[in-house]
Amino acid sequence: MRSPFICKYLFNRYVIRSFIRYGGVGPSESLAGRTGRLHVRGVGERGAMTQASGGKELARIRWKHRAVAFAVVAFICVLGVALTGYISSLLTENAQKRLQNETLARLSEARARLEGTIGATLYISQGLVSFTAINSDLTQRQFRRFAEEISSLNNHVKLIALAPDNVVRYVYPLLGNLRALGLDYSKNEAQWPVVKRVMDERRTVVAGPVNLVQGGRALIARSPVLIPVDEDEGSAERRYWGIASVVIDMDALFEDAGIRQEMNGYQFAIRGANGLGSAGGMVLGDPGLFDGGAVVLPVNLPNGTWQMASRPVGGWTTNSPEVRIARLVGFGVTFAIAFLSAMVVIAQQRARSMALHDALTGLPNRRLLEDRLEQLAALSERTGLGFQVFFVDLNAFKPINDTFGHAVGDMVLREVGKRLRQETRESDTIARIGGDEFVVVVPGMTHHQSTANIAERLRQAVSEPVRTGDHVIAIRASVGWAVYPDDATTIPEILELADQRMYREKLAAA
């Protein structure tokens, strides 16, 4: 209920203060003052009313159009890039899973070959154990013939030895291995732990890899030789006779199994020395492979396990054609949609602007004028603040077109619009509603004397001669005005009244 009184108080205080500041005029004097412009500040109109007129308004509208178009393009680009990235990540993930499955298949094949080769080689050790258990009193000649026979069946065997009561008594081949004869395992700190383990567990233990004196690396398969306690009675109880050892050339074993550090684009590594699995040392390859997300499978040994790892040489990063195509298509479609959307938004904004503005002068047209008048009328009902409407019409404009051409006539109309903008505030509205008809709306002013002074000021500004090339074109303007709500209480009535007064002045001038 107090809103009208507050607005009137602000109006009286700040408008009168502006009069005193810009020339010392009173409320009944011209608002133009000695400065030649309407220096009155705004009095609380809504933001929609405070708009730049003419070129400033069109420039702001164009920037607004560009901002809207940029926002649409940015939104579509962000959405498209995010969607493309998501699809690419799914394809990449699928490609990685496929690559992991392929790696697992290659690793499974390599493990099967390795376990098969190791198993075939360890059969020799079992054969040696069986032969010794049957012939516990075998001679050196018997041992040598048997060792020759089984060595010829497998080229991985580097050395065969028997150690009754844990002392090496039989060695094949003797060449280069004579120092091994007489070795007492119980007195050898390096080998006794493994021998003791074989005795306790009574099963084959594969130790190694160990470095050979003659070069290369080897695995040592040690098996317990157990013989019946009482052969005559066929007792199942057996006693420990000694150790049967088979030294296996590990490099030849891996080569025969087709195991190398890098094969067909994949890296391989094995760890688990002495059958200790993940706790054992490296057997083959780069230890870093186990820390790089490689596929890992166990390799079963008689006494434990190894771990075998594999991954592609270039890691798990994939750059499959389908991912590249998806990104190319995704980005292409995104930018195409963004471009088309920007064009559509700009076209819509431009069409909307053209529907509300005069194409020649850039001023608001009749449609936008009526919309602003409706808003001012609604504001007046709430605050009691009125507004003034001025109709400006050029006298004898048709002869200018006929004499100088329409291009000069258009230039004159643009100049008139420019002059009207110069004589008004940014909160005022200047519109072109016809060929040579302009309307000026000044919110907040309702004094009739000041209205007449403003009308005169507009008339003088418009009636200044226009220079074009070597010609000086004299123009005259007629101005009619009306005050809302003093002269009329509806928009059609106030427009009609201002128009009638303008025509009366135009007829008087003629």
Side-chain angles (χ1 to χ4, degrees):
M1 295 298 296
R2 300 181 60 184
S3 178
F5 299 100
I6 294 174
C7 292
K8 286 183 178 180
Y9 166 75
L10 294 174
F11 171 77
N12 291 331
R13 179 176 180 178
Y14 292 106
V15 170
I16 292 175
R17 179 180 293 179
S18 66
F19 293 163
I20 296 172
R21 180 181 177 184
Y22 294 105
V25 295
S28 61
E29 294 178 310
S30 170
L31 293 180
R34 289 193 295 268
T35 63
R37 289 198 58 181
L38 304 179
H39 292 289
V40 184
R41 295 296 185 261
V43 290
E45 299 93 348
R46 290 188 302 176
M49 294 290 96
T50 308
Q51 303 183 34
S53 59
K56 291 183 179 179
E57 186 166 357
L58 281 184
R60 186 163 59 186
I61 290 173
R62 283 194 292 268
W63 278 109
K64 180 181 178 181
H65 295 172
R66 293 170 185 171
V68 172
F70 176 79
V72 171
V73 170
F75 174 76
I76 293 176
C77 287
V78 170
L79 182 62
V81 169
L83 183 60
T84 301
Y86 176 70
I87 294 175
S88 298
S89 66
L90 290 180
L91 292 175
T92 301
E93 184 179 351
N94 291 335
Q96 288 180 345
K97 289 182 178 179
R98 189 165 56 247
L99 186 59
Q100 288 176 344
N101 291 334
E102 293 175 358
T103 305
L104 179 61
R106 295 293 184 92
L107 183 61
S108 298
E109 294 175 2
R111 180 185 68 168
R113 293 196 306 270
L114 180 59
E115 287 182 341
T117 305
I118 292 175
T121 304
L122 292 180
Y123 282 140
I124 295 176
S125 177
Q126 296 301 320
L128 176 62
V129 169
S130 299
F131 176 78
T132 305
I134 296 173
N135 303 280
S136 58
D137 296 326
L138 78 165
T139 63
Q140 289 288 344
R141 183 171 179 275
Q142 288 176 320
F143 170 76
R144 186 177 64 256
R145 291 184 60 186
F146 179 80
E148 288 177 349
E149 183 65 24
I150 61 175
S151 296
S152 65
L153 300 177
N154 194 307
N155 59 355
H156 307 150
V157 176
K158 301 264 310 173
L159 182 142
I160 299 174
L162 287 175
D165 298 324
N166 297 330
V167 178
V168 178
R169 301 297 183 188
Y170 305 89
V171 175
Y172 177 85
L174 283 175
L175 183 63
N177 298 303
L178 288 175
R179 289 181 301 175
L181 289 173
L183 174 65
D184 189 346
Y185 288 138
S186 63
K187 297 179 181 179
N188 188 291
E189 295 181 358
Q191 301 192 46
W192 174 245
V194 178
V195 173
K196 184 67 169 61
R197 180 182 171 190
V198 172
M199 294 173 60
D200 294 339
E201 296 181 4
R202 293 201 167 193
R203 63 174 181 170
T204 302
V205 172
V206 178
V210 296
N211 295 320
L212 298 177
V213 177
Q214 58 270 41
R217 297 183 304 164
L219 300 174
I220 303 176
R222 293 188 173 94
S223 302
V225 178
L226 305 175
I227 62 176
V229 175
D230 191 348
E231 295 182 1
D232 295 336
E233 298 180 0
S235 175
E237 185 180 355
R238 292 177 177 271
R239 67 178 179 83
Y240 177 76
W241 178 85
I243 289 287
S245 300
V246 177
V247 178
I248 303 169
D249 187 340
M250 192 179 70
D251 296 331
L253 177 73
F254 285 159
E255 183 67 26
D256 191 43
I259 304 299
R260 293 184 294 276
Q261 294 188 35
E262 185 175 324
M263 299 185 299
N264 301 322
Y266 292 89
Q267 291 176 298
F268 291 88
I270 301 174
R271 70 181 177 184
N274 298 322
L276 298 179
S278 60
M282 290 301 299
V283 177
L284 175 73
D286 181 11
L289 201 62
F290 289 93
D291 300 327
V295 178
V296 179
L297 289 178
V299 178
N300 295 317
L301 300 175
N303 65 309
T305 60
W306 286 345
Q307 283 189 335
M308 190 174 187
S310 178
R311 72 178 178 192
V313 173
W316 298 114
T317 56
T318 59
N319 192 19
S320 63
E322 56 189 21
V323 174
R324 293 195 299 270
I325 292 173
R327 288 174 179 169
L328 182 63
V329 172
F331 292 145
V333 171
T334 295
F335 292 130
I337 294 177
F339 176 77
L340 294 177
S341 300
M343 295 298 100
V344 171
V345 170
I346 291 175
Q348 288 180 342
Q349 296 286 338
R350 187 175 298 169
R352 183 179 180 184
S353 176
M354 292 176 63
L356 298 176
H357 290 81
D358 174 52
L360 178 62
T361 61
L363 298 174
N365 59 13
R366 179 180 291 273
R367 180 179 175 184
L368 184 55
L369 171 67
E370 292 177 351
D371 178 70
R372 292 185 179 179
L373 289 175
E374 292 289 346
Q375 294 183 42
L376 284 174
L379 182 66
S380 177
E381 292 180 1
R382 295 194 301 271
T383 64
L385 298 177
F387 56 89
Q388 301 164 326
V389 177
F390 299 89
F391 259 70
V392 181
D393 185 84
L394 301 183
N395 300 333
F397 179 71
K398 186 176 183 302
I400 295 177
N401 276 334
D402 295 341
T403 304
F404 299 99
H406 290 282
V408 174
D410 292 344
M411 185 273 294
V412 170
L413 292 176
R414 285 193 293 268
E415 178 64 23
V416 170
K418 177 181 177 182
R419 293 177 180 181
L420 291 176
R421 286 194 296 269
Q422 291 174 346
E423 292 298 322
T424 54
R425 306 165 300 179
E426 287 191 351
S427 59
D428 301 333
T429 298
I430 305 96
R432 180 182 175 222
I433 62 173
D436 58 354
E437 293 182 342
F438 297 83
V439 174
V440 178
V441 179
V442 181
M445 299 292 100
T446 57
H447 299 285
H448 284 263
Q449 183 60 39
S450 64
T451 304
N453 292 337
I454 293 174
E456 178 61 27
R457 189 69 189 180
L458 294 175
R459 186 183 300 108
Q460 291 179 2
V462 172
S463 298
E464 291 290 332
V466 176
R467 296 182 179 275
T468 172
D470 297 332
H471 303 285
V472 178
I473 302 174
I475 57 176
R476 294 291 182 267
S478 298
V479 180
W481 52 270
V483 179
Y484 184 96
D486 297 349
D487 296 333
T489 56
T490 65
I491 301 305
E493 288 177 357
I494 196 170
L495 289 175
E496 183 178 359
L497 179 58
D499 190 32
Q500 290 174 357
R501 290 176 176 176
M502 181 272 295
Y503 269 105
R504 282 201 297 270
E505 180 176 314
K506 194 178 188 72
L507 291 175

